[in-house]
Amino acid sequence: MTTPPSTPDAERADLIAALATARAALTNTVRGLSDEQAGERPTVSALCLGG
């Protein structure tokens, strides 16, 4: 089975859809958190949900 060659427009649409999915997941993760909760760093990582 072969896949048809992708066009730049199709690739762009796929990337935008993937970004929208990731954005929705993050938005759902932080919904309802206070600023203090979003700024917590429960691991050694320098990243936090609010940053």
Side-chain angles (χ1 to χ4, degrees), residues 6-48:
S6 64
T7 64
D9 290 337
E11 186 175 340
R12 179 181 171 88
D14 288 346
L15 289 171
I16 289 173
L19 287 171
T21 299
R23 185 182 302 118
L26 180 60
T27 300
N28 289 332
T29 299
V30 299
R31 183 173 284 129
L33 294 180
S34 67
D35 287 344
E36 182 178 305
Q37 290 171 318
E40 290 180 359
R41 292 180 174 89
T43 65
V44 296
S45 173
L47 301 175
C48 65

